[in-house]
Amino acid sequence: MVKKKQRTKYKLKKNDLVKIITGKEKGKSGRILDIDSRKGRIMIEGLNMVKKAIRPKGQNQKGGITEIEASVDISNVMIVCKKCGPTRIGYSFESDKKIRVCRKCGELL
Ligand SMILES: [Zn+2]
């Protein structure tokens, strides 16, 4: 059997407000900074920070430790609806244009 490689299309977009639903950052929310659709992982502003050592570069820059966002699995987050909170994305059509809506209350996402 040949395993077909499927390209997953994600409904989430950059700048979406999402809430982490599992793991150590559970319950926190933030905006999506970046999406890696090949790996199915996203970076969320200010969340899942990890310490990273910086090597000194050149003469004027000192080495040290900084904190950066580490990616989280896309399945561990839910989009946040401004009306009713974490929800799932549904689709609707508005004058032939496909729009993303909240599946619970129909609010535009
Ligand atoms: Zn809603």
Side-chain angles (χ1 to χ4, degrees), residues 14-27:
K14 267 186 198 177
N15 284 322
D16 277 349
L17 184 66
V18 291
K19 189 168 194 166
I20 297 185
I21 50 169
T22 184
K24 71 179 169 91
E25 301 279 62
K26 188 178 171 181

Side-chain angles (χ1 to χ4, degrees), residues 12 16-21 27-29 77-90 101-109:
L12 292 168
D16 277 349
L17 184 66
V18 291
K19 189 168 194 166
I20 297 185
I21 50 169
K28 292 184 186 171
S29 51
V77 303
M78 280 182 91
I79 192 151
V80 177
C81 165
K82 53 183 179 281
K83 269 192 179 169
C84 63
T87 187
R88 291 184 181 280
I89 297 173
V101 294
C102 169
R103 266 208 225 166
K104 284 191 216 162
C105 72
E107 178 75 10
L108 193 69
L109 291 172

